Amino acid sequence: MAKKAVATLHEGSMDGRAYSKVIKMVKSPKTGAYIFEEKMVPNEAVKDYFKK
């Protein structure tokens, strides 16, 4: 029974799969150390995010 309930919850929600979590390594201007920026980006805009 639990498997059917979980499967029916995932069928209708396709909006969550339209986004990807991207992690970009950026050098801090103050310390010179690398920091990580995490952001949720639509799947179509992932390449544009890394070009910046």
Side-chain angles (χ1 to χ4, degrees):
M1 288 278 262
K3 289 183 181 179
K4 285 185 180 180
V6 172
T8 56
L9 290 176
H10 288 290
E11 282 178 12
S13 62
M14 291 299 289
D15 295 334
R17 295 182 187 155
Y19 287 86
S20 297
K21 183 178 184 179
V22 292
I23 302 171
K24 187 176 184 181
M25 190 169 67
V26 179
K27 194 169 188 176
S28 173
K30 289 183 181 179
T31 62
Y34 285 97
I35 57 173
F36 295 96
E37 291 181 355
E38 296 181 12
K39 199 171 193 181
M40 294 297 289
V41 178
N43 290 340
E44 296 84 21
V46 172
K47 289 184 180 181
D48 295 332
Y49 177 76
F50 285 116
K51 286 183 182 178
K52 292 183 195 176

